[in-house]
Amino acid sequence: MSFSGFIVQLLNGLAGASSLFLVAAGLSLIFGVTRIVNFAHGSFFMVGIYLAYTLVEHLGGSLGFWPAVLLAALAVGVFGALVEIVLLRRLYKAPELFQLLATFALVLVIKDIVLYLWGPDELLGPRAPGLAGSVEILGRQFPSYDLFLIVVGPVVLGLLWLLLTRTRWGTLVRAATQDREMVSALGVNQAWLFTAVFALGATLAGLGGALQLPREPATLEMDLHTIGSAFVVVVVGGLGSIPGAFAAALLIAEIRAICIWLGVVEVFGVTISFSKLTLVTDFLVMAIVLVWRPWGLLGRTQPPNRQAGMHEEPLRKSSRLYVGAAAVFGLTLAAMPFFTANSPYTTVLMIDLLIAALFAASLHFIMGPAGMHSFGHAAYFGLGAYGAALLVRALGMPMELALLVAPVVAAAGAFVFGWFAVRLSGVYLAMLTLAFAQITWAVTYQWDSFTGGSNGLTGVWPSAWLADKRTYYWLTLVLVLAAVVWLRRVLLSPFGYALRAARDSVLRADAIGVDVKRMQWTAFVIAGAAAGLAGSLYAFSKGSISPESLNVSKSVDGLVMVLLGGIQTLAGPVVGAVTFTWLHDTVARNTDYWRAMLGGIILLLVLLFPQGIAGFARELGDKLRRKVPRAENTEARS
């Protein structure tokens, strides 16, 4: 830990901050104007570096490098504009979360397009001409290209500041960030303004990717890794604040650099590996900032919503026809193992479908009626799974008891995380839940002696009487149905109606004496317990558990399930979970490019059923019921 090493690491942090800022600035612009949580922004970064690689090969590494970088950024900008015109423009009137679902589907499609065009191997580009060497700083060699990147960030910040403050277009963008409807009322073509902003944001992401060509190889994992870091920077800096994004990028990148410089340090006899903290540094910073300053470093406080939420019909108890259909469906599920006796895989798939349904239902519990969007719900699923595995392996607890105690472990995690989360709202709340989930994942991933680290835990099998998969299926069916019915009963209770009232108007609910934060906190714990039960069932069904169960991709899968089924219906999460899991399994087994096909199907469903599959079915049923009385009245008059 020398002083020269410290300075060099700080310079490394500045270079990384510039690259991170380019992506985050584009994401911040897009969200500030269009209000779209663009999951595909990391894909633009990935496409930028792949395009730069190809263009450099065709134009020549010596004279064609810099034109290739600029052309790659512009091409990504044009691609972003086409995406906005062809797809997202059709979804601006849809709920914001369905726009998120569409951009997630776009991530899947773009990933497989890149896989088809460039293959699965890593691609490392040439060094930048004129900047291939290094300079000596305090006796250490530092890459000249990184010095160039350090300059790029402030230059782009300055150009963006001039564009947004010294041009008419920039004035319109800033006005749209504050009030999009007013800008449209003044006669501004809102559609083309959105397209221009989206194209500029995509160009910045493409430029950030292209400039990384000499520093790191192009890989297919860049998209989700990049979008996670970019979201953190945007939220820490303050939504819609370009200077805030720059300050947050500097803060996060420098903290990473310092952790690398510190390495392994012994504090009061305890060995701490700061280098391992780089896996979760971003999310630790985000959690601390949001707890201290909920609107970000340079963001603005959001005024409470004085308007009622979207009109929805009140929740009502199920009709006799609905209860009868549900009973028949339950009996059919119970009889499934008899019809699939010759196909053991079908029984395993049915167990996975049931577990996914419970996981999605638990997430819907806080997303739909409570209005709290969680991007880190996998934390409670993983806590339940690891809780069950550790109770059996470390404490020797019987499997049956561990299956019931594990949800309590997940509920305890939700109790702690929820206390912080319910003090925020909107995207800030969602990102804080993501931060807690990633922190939990990092602890699990690195605690080799307790959780098994990256290898996870194996040998977690159910008791002997449940060794037959059909018997375990029936146990899973009983527990999942009981949990889903319990969640439904809670939502139909006074507690559930109070949750929905707080979601629709916090001020009105508070005025009539509803303790909004306490009720939302309770909802977090209930949802966490249900997700923990799903996790414990999953652990025993697979016989093992790994950190992947807590990863952000698991949380995203839950979001997709809820949105695909329909967030405004109680049956939506179950329908969405079954649809998504079945599609994922079927498509993945029948094509190498399963992501693109799955993403295309999701896009098609989003365009055809923006209210979700179950939501569409409910609307169709309501229309049919309204037509029947009209027909009867017509016959009576005649």
Side-chain angles (χ1 to χ4, degrees):
M1 295 193 298
S2 63
F3 177 74
S4 60
F6 176 69
I7 297 300
V8 168
Q9 283 299 334
L10 289 182
L11 291 175
N12 277 326
L14 290 176
S18 289
S19 302
L20 192 54
F21 167 68
L22 291 177
V23 185
L27 183 62
S28 186
L29 275 173
I30 291 173
F31 180 85
V33 175
T34 66
R35 290 297 186 269
I36 288 180
V37 182
N38 182 23
F39 255 102
H41 202 67
S43 299
F44 296 149
F45 176 91
M46 180 179 67
V47 171
I49 190 170
Y50 274 99
L51 281 177
Y53 178 87
T54 300
L55 290 171
V56 167
E57 280 194 332
H58 284 80
L59 298 178
S62 56
L63 297 177
F65 179 86
W66 298 111
V69 168
L70 295 177
L71 287 174
L74 292 175
V76 173
V78 173
F79 176 59
L82 291 175
V83 167
E84 194 277 339
I85 293 171
V86 175
L87 175 63
L88 296 179
R89 188 175 289 185
R90 304 172 185 271
L91 299 173
Y92 283 133
K93 293 184 179 180
E96 292 180 359
L97 287 173
F98 281 96
Q99 298 167 358
L100 181 149
L101 178 59
T103 60
F104 170 73
L106 194 60
V107 169
L108 299 178
V109 174
I110 294 175
K111 186 186 286 287
D112 267 4
I113 291 175
V114 172
L115 174 63
Y116 176 78
L117 294 175
W118 283 280
D121 297 330
E122 295 182 350
L123 303 177
L124 182 61
R127 294 189 178 275
L131 297 172
S134 60
V135 297
E136 185 174 330
I137 299 177
L138 298 177
R140 292 175 179 264
Q141 297 298 315
F142 188 78
S144 301
Y145 189 74
D146 284 7
L147 288 176
F148 165 75
L149 288 180
I150 291 174
V151 177
V152 167
V155 169
V156 172
L157 175 63
L159 292 175
L160 286 175
W161 180 82
L162 290 174
L163 178 65
L164 295 175
T165 60
R166 294 294 187 266
T167 65
R168 180 177 181 274
W169 183 83
T171 302
L172 294 177
V173 169
R174 288 186 291 115
T177 303
Q178 300 297 323
D179 194 329
R180 291 183 298 171
E181 288 71 21
M182 182 59 70
V183 171
S184 179
L186 293 175
V188 177
N189 190 327
Q190 194 179 67
W192 287 112
L193 180 64
F194 284 11
T195 302
V197 169
F198 205 92
L200 177 58
T203 300
L204 290 171
L207 179 61
L211 288 174
Q212 289 301 300
L213 187 61
R215 300 187 78 213
E216 60 178 309
T219 66
L220 293 171
E221 287 72 36
M222 284 182 134
D223 50 0
L224 291 180
H225 175 74
T226 302
I227 192 60
S229 298
F231 271 137
V232 170
V233 170
V234 169
V235 171
V236 170
L239 293 175
S241 173
I242 302 299
F246 185 74
L250 282 177
L251 175 65
I252 291 171
E254 292 297 358
I255 291 177
R256 281 186 195 167
I258 292 173
C259 286
I260 294 174
W261 173 71
L262 287 172
V264 179
V265 179
E266 187 169 327
V267 180
F268 300 111
V270 178
T271 302
I272 301 176
S273 177
F274 282 94
S275 56
K276 288 185 177 181
L277 285 177
T278 54
L279 287 174
V280 74
T281 300
D282 304 4
F283 298 98
L284 278 173
V285 172
M286 182 169 68
I288 293 171
V289 169
L290 290 182
V291 170
W292 163 60
R293 191 175 172 84
W295 50 90
L297 295 174
L298 298 180
R300 298 181 179 180
T301 57
Q302 298 296 316
N305 183 14
R306 297 178 181 276
Q307 305 297 325
M310 183 184 299
H311 173 71
E312 293 181 25
E313 293 184 5
L315 295 174
R316 293 188 175 90
K317 293 185 177 181
S318 303
S319 63
R320 292 183 177 179
L321 179 62
Y322 184 91
V323 173
V328 172
F329 181 67
L331 291 174
T332 303
L333 288 177
M336 279 296 294
F338 297 111
F339 300 112
T340 61
N342 296 325
S343 178
Y345 177 75
T346 303
T347 303
V348 174
L349 178 60
M350 290 298 297
I351 293 173
D352 291 343
L353 291 175
L354 289 172
I355 293 172
L358 178 56
F359 178 60
S362 66
L363 177 57
H364 174 267
F365 185 86
I366 56 175
M367 282 186 63
M372 297 182 291
H373 308 320
S374 173
F375 286 4
H377 203 63
Y380 317 120
F381 181 91
L383 286 173
Y386 269 96
L390 290 170
L391 287 170
V392 170
R393 285 175 54 111
L395 300 181
M397 185 177 291
M399 171 263 175
E400 295 83 357
L401 183 58
L403 194 62
L404 299 177
V405 176
V408 179
V409 176
F415 181 85
V416 176
F417 297 161
W419 188 87
F420 296 98
V422 298
R423 281 152 176 76
L424 306 178
S425 61
V427 176
Y428 292 109
L429 182 150
M431 294 307 294
L432 185 59
T433 60
L434 175 61
F436 286 137
Q438 286 301 100
I439 292 170
T440 306
W441 169 83
V443 172
T444 304
Y445 187 84
Q446 296 179 17
W447 200 350
D448 295 327
S449 61
F450 188 62
T451 64
S454 58
N455 295 321
L457 298 172
T458 58
V460 187
W461 297 107
S463 299
W465 68 280
L466 293 169
D468 187 349
K469 279 296 180 183
R470 292 185 301 173
T471 308
Y472 191 81
Y473 166 81
W474 282 316
L475 174 67
T476 303
L477 176 63
V478 170
L479 292 178
V480 168
L481 288 179
V484 170
V485 170
W486 175 59
L487 291 175
R488 184 182 179 89
R489 291 291 299 271
V490 172
L491 291 178
L492 292 172
S493 69
F495 174 83
Y497 282 95
L499 269 181
R500 179 169 157 166
R503 177 203 64 186
D504 291 342
S505 179
V506 174
L507 293 178
R508 294 180 184 179
D510 186 66
I512 62 174
V514 176
D515 191 338
V516 174
K517 299 303 180 187
R518 179 173 294 181
M519 298 196 69
Q520 290 177 336
W521 189 14
T522 304
F524 247 92
V525 176
I526 293 173
L533 176 59
S536 59
L537 288 169
Y538 177 83
F540 289 118
S541 71
K542 301 302 179 185
S544 63
I545 191 65
S546 70
E548 295 300 317
S549 61
L550 296 102
N551 205 352
V552 62
S553 59
K554 183 68 178 180
S555 296
V556 172
D557 286 349
L559 283 170
V560 173
M561 293 172 191
V562 172
L563 298 177
L564 196 58
I567 197 170
Q568 296 177 3
T569 59
L570 296 181
V574 176
V575 173
V578 172
T579 303
F580 178 76
T581 306
W582 177 79
L583 281 175
H584 189 286
D585 177 80
T586 304
V587 173
R589 284 190 290 113
N590 289 283
T591 177
D592 292 334
Y593 300 101
W594 61 270
R595 296 182 192 87
M597 185 174 290
L598 180 62
I601 293 172
I602 293 175
L603 283 174
L604 185 63
L605 291 174
V606 168
L607 292 172
L608 294 177
F609 313 118
Q611 68 277 62
I613 298 173
F616 172 77
R618 186 181 68 174
E619 287 188 5
L620 184 62
D622 291 343
K623 288 180 181 179
L624 293 176
R625 281 194 295 270
R626 284 195 293 267
K627 286 183 179 180
V628 172
R630 289 178 183 174
E632 292 176 351
N633 292 335
T634 303
E635 292 177 359
R637 290 194 189 100
S638 60

